[in-house]
Amino acid sequence: VNPPAIPPALLALFAASGLTPREAEVLIWVTQGKSNGDVATILEMSEKTVKQHLGSVFQKIGVESRTAASLRAVEVLSSSGH
């Protein structure tokens, strides 16, 4: 089953923060409360790859946890009107 497509405008919004489209996808699913295992299944990648993407996301947006990353994502989305 293919996951719902992430709207291009949303990916562009996260690209402005320096995230790759794949990192943005991972962050969006984490923000929705999905575990690393869930995200791996949804995006058809290994859990190790999800962890690597999250590590990169944390570094790029300057946070140290999933919760902080999720909050930052919500802030970005809120400020953009999405």
Side-chain angles (χ1 to χ4, degrees), residues 41-71:
T41 299
I42 292 165
L43 297 179
E44 299 179 341
M45 62 176 65
S46 73
E47 195 167 339
K48 180 179 177 182
T49 301
V50 171
K51 290 178 185 178
Q52 289 171 332
H53 282 311
L54 281 175
S56 181
V57 167
F58 292 175
Q59 184 176 21
K60 288 179 178 181
I61 65 174
V63 299
E64 296 181 2
S65 71
R66 299 169 72 84
T67 303
S70 294
L71 179 59

